[in-house]
Amino acid sequence: MCGLTGFLSLGDIGPRLDAEALLRRMAGALRHRGPDSAGVWSDREAGIGLGHRRLAIVDVSEAGHQPMTSVSGRYVIAFNGEIYNHTQLRAELAQLGRSPAWRGHSDTETLLAGFEAWGFEATLKRAVGMFAIALWDRQERTLSLARDRMGEKPLYWGWQGGVGGHARTLLFGSELKALRAHPAFAAVVDRDALALLLRHNYIGAPHAIYQGIHKLEPGCWLQVSQAQPEPQIHAYWSALEVALKGHAEPFVGSENDAVDRLEALLKDAVGQQMMADVPLGAFLSGGIDSSAVVALMQAQSSRPVKTFTIGFHEPGYNEAEHAKAVAQHLGTEHTELYIEPAQALAVIPDLPKLYDEPFSDSSQIPTFLVSQLARQHVTVSLSGDGGDELFCGYERYRLAHKLWHRISKVPRPLRHLACSALQLLSPDQWNRLIDVVESALPAKRRHPILGDKIYKGAGLLGSAHFSDLYWGLISHWPDPAKVVLGSSEPTTILSECSASLMPGLSEVERMMVLDQLSYLPGDILTKVDRAAMGVSLESRVPMLDHRVVEFAACLPQGLKLHDGVTKWPLRQVLYRHVPQALIDRPKMGFAIPLKGWLRAPLKDWAEALLDPARLAREGYFDVAAVRRKWDDHVHGRRDWQAHVWDVLMFQAWLDEQARKDHLP
């Protein structure tokens, strides 16, 4: 895992610019992503420069140093990620007689040999892994950028400059802070992208918080040159196409055949991702996904796998006891840390630096804390992310399907009346009422914060179409363009999620695919990447091996949601290794008690960021709209924690950018 950056100028770099010093400064902004070594390469005449920071995982010797030049001298690469099948690729190259005299055993060197033998896109299609790549072709004088299939690794790009004495320059990098280090960077906030943040709590690709800057979308690569400065973007893999193909060509074996095949694929993916020349472990929450990954790791390891979890003392937020039980059964070397509120609160001032772009999924805090814990013991940690999107794990899938098929039969005026009745009680009042009713039930049958879900569900009763219901489920602010001054919310695949885009797929299948295209890379994978990289920890996600994704797509929906049981095939794999009694319980998520924190220990911090005079002076938000939400929340009238956190994370990010701008 590493960090990459660079630029391509129209015209040569020019004698006044110290290209290598600039590249060192840009790469230096990514030191946390690669503390082991740094490298730069430039060609002044061609206007190209590449910078790299290395976290040495495979081939920790100097033979893995980057930027790296191919044996022929044609290609120069800056690479972030891991190619898990690179030894197999080397074997294929040897069979073709295209195997060079290897300098080391790094996957970077393997990629370069692949580009020489097969070309850029063909090599990407052969590669199994997670990656962001910048490749300069010295012969064709073209720059190619690529991102892995599911979006595990980030890659920003965009043209800047052309005014104020700075040549028009394409900037690119793993994080925005590297681009900001270039003098051509304009740093103008994109208000339309800010509206997306308030809608979803993240800014999804291809959008970014700055004007003129984009995220390369998962499964895509682009090519650009001085002669053709308009980037040509190509898709070499598509989750949507995979879903449609899987539906058209479904798996035809028995249920047991499906479980056998899934276990074999997951075992192979986990085994490949255990490849490392440094200490390795895994995050373990005790849920289905992380437990399955750890179980398959332990089955292939001759020593106890190192596992990590954090716990909270607050009721309803603690999964550590479940993780400990799974770890004891599997015999892992388990480390847990119970977090005091002060420890979690201490992370909040660092969030703008960690995430580098406004990001407001509050589970970013425990994700960072468990990454910090793991980094004290290992350099690589596997996670169970992706299982919900692939195997129908989110409760909202089942509830949305059930809700729509019930309410769609009821005239909309009657539904609006039901909505008003359900919202007579606040979410807190619903929660207290449900606590009384459920107090006699076993703990595993209780549903924490169900009152909040009831209240939000009530607002969905008036949906005209299923897509409206889904849109409401995934929205925070319902009309963010009215809150962000001067904005126009961009259209995305989420706002255009009509059935015609996904012919043949059921309503729930469409939700799952849309989450794979948006929520998974934009929220989940971003959260994990920035949290882990913030402490120089490489995180790997075996569930997102594209072969697993493609197999999951061809499984019939009735197998994923089997007689009301979510993630059925994945559960069956896990039950072969862990007793069902240790796993079956309501899904909890990775949450923090943010609602109460905003009303007590974080109140003064939030009030300063949401000061009406400050909001008016900065001019990004409708002050009255923001203050209404904050006042309702802080006085306990409503639970607006998600809405308020969206604004707070932008405000805190804005403070951090202002601080950077005033540094000498």
Side-chain angles (χ1 to χ4, degrees), residues 285-293 543 566-567 570-571 574 583-584:
S285 70
I288 296 164
D289 305 337
S290 66
S291 297
V293 168
M543 213 78 72
T566 61
K567 293 195 281 198
L570 189 57
R571 288 175 187 268
L574 179 57
I583 299 299
D584 283 359

Side-chain angles (χ1 to χ4, degrees), residues 411-476:
R412 289 186 72 192
L414 291 179
R415 286 191 265 143
H416 283 297
L417 285 175
C419 170
S420 300
L422 287 170
Q423 291 184 337
L424 286 174
L425 295 181
S426 71
D428 279 344
Q429 290 171 318
W430 273 114
N431 284 328
R432 287 195 293 271
L433 179 61
I434 291 164
D435 286 344
V436 172
V437 174
E438 291 191 333
S439 60
L441 296 176
K444 69 178 185 178
R445 297 288 304 277
R446 297 174 190 171
H447 298 79
I449 63 172
L450 185 58
D452 299 87
K453 295 178 181 178
I454 289 174
Y455 199 93
K456 183 170 184 176
L460 304 174
L461 292 177
S463 301
H465 305 285
F466 183 81
S467 57
D468 297 333
L469 188 148
Y470 174 69
W471 186 239
L473 280 171
I474 61 175
S475 296
H476 285 198

Side-chain angles (χ1 to χ4, degrees), residues 12 28 71 97 127 178 185 196 219 223 261 278 283 345 363 376 382 411-413 429 455 475-476 511 518 634:
D12 70 38
V71 171
F185 192 78
L196 289 177
Q223 190 170 82
R261 178 61 177 154
V278 294
F283 301 132
L345 295 172
S363 63
Q376 296 171 20
L382 275 62
R412 289 186 72 192
Q429 290 171 318
Y455 199 93
S475 296
H476 285 198
M511 292 175 69
S518 55
V634 79

Side-chain angles (χ1 to χ4, degrees), residues 256-296:
N256 195 59
D257 291 338
V259 176
D260 287 344
R261 178 61 177 154
L262 177 59
E263 182 172 25
L265 283 169
L266 279 174
K267 184 178 180 181
D268 184 58
V270 167
Q272 284 194 341
Q273 297 196 24
M274 291 172 71
M275 170 191 69
D277 296 335
V278 294
L280 175 143
F283 301 132
L284 178 61
S285 70
I288 296 164
D289 305 337
S290 66
S291 297
V293 168
V294 171
L296 294 173

Side-chain angles (χ1 to χ4, degrees), residues 453-591:
K453 295 178 181 178
I454 289 174
Y455 199 93
K456 183 170 184 176
L460 304 174
L461 292 177
S463 301
H465 305 285
F466 183 81
S467 57
D468 297 333
L469 188 148
Y470 174 69
W471 186 239
L473 280 171
I474 61 175
S475 296
H476 285 198
W477 294 80
D479 195 350
K482 290 184 177 179
V483 182
V484 180
L485 302 178
S487 72
S488 176
E489 185 179 359
T491 58
T492 66
I493 192 168
L494 289 170
S495 58
E496 299 174 334
C497 60
S498 64
S500 62
L501 289 175
M502 304 179 189
L505 299 189
S506 70
E507 294 151 349
V508 173
E509 286 173 317
R510 294 203 304 272
M511 292 175 69
M512 292 167 60
V513 175
L514 287 167
D515 278 350
Q516 291 173 40
L517 294 169
S518 55
Y519 177 66
L520 181 61
D523 185 316
I524 301 298
L525 298 178
T526 297
K527 175 180 64 182
V528 174
D529 174 81
R530 304 306 193 278
M533 284 280 86
V535 293
S536 304
L537 175 75
E538 174 170 299
S539 177
R540 298 177 177 177
V541 191
M543 213 78 72
L544 297 185
D545 181 304
H546 73 276
R547 298 165 300 177
V548 176
V549 176
E550 290 168 0
F551 178 70
C554 75
L555 290 177
Q557 184 64 16
L559 204 58
K560 297 172 190 173
L561 185 58
H562 190 278
D563 293 332
V565 177
T566 61
K567 293 195 281 198
W568 186 86
L570 189 57
R571 288 175 187 268
Q572 306 316 305
V573 171
L574 179 57
Y575 296 158
R576 294 177 175 183
H577 301 268
V578 177
Q580 186 172 345
L582 292 182
I583 299 299
D584 283 359
R585 63 183 184 276
K587 187 177 179 64
M588 186 178 293
F590 205 30

Side-chain angles (χ1 to χ4, degrees), residues 1-2 33 55 57 79-85 107 111 124 127-133 146-154 236 273 275 379-383 525 528-529 532-533 537-542 544-546:
M1 191 76 67
C2 306
R33 298 187 74 91
L55 177 62
I57 303 294
F79 165 60
N80 166 30
E82 302 291 346
I83 305 301
Y84 303 121
N85 67 330
D107 49 358
L111 277 176
L124 296 179
V128 177
M130 57 176 184
F131 50 81
I133 298 171
R147 192 175 179 198
D148 64 68
R149 294 170 178 84
M150 297 300 290
E152 292 183 58
K153 294 296 100 191
Y236 67 91
Q273 297 196 24
M275 170 191 69
T379 310
V380 178
S381 187
L382 275 62
S383 82
L525 298 178
V528 174
D529 174 81
M533 284 280 86
L537 175 75
E538 174 170 299
S539 177
R540 298 177 177 177
V541 191
L544 297 185
D545 181 304
H546 73 276

Side-chain angles (χ1 to χ4, degrees), residues 405-417:
H405 280 273
R406 288 179 178 176
I407 69 172
S408 60
K409 300 172 184 177
V410 179
R412 289 186 72 192
L414 291 179
R415 286 191 265 143
H416 283 297
L417 285 175

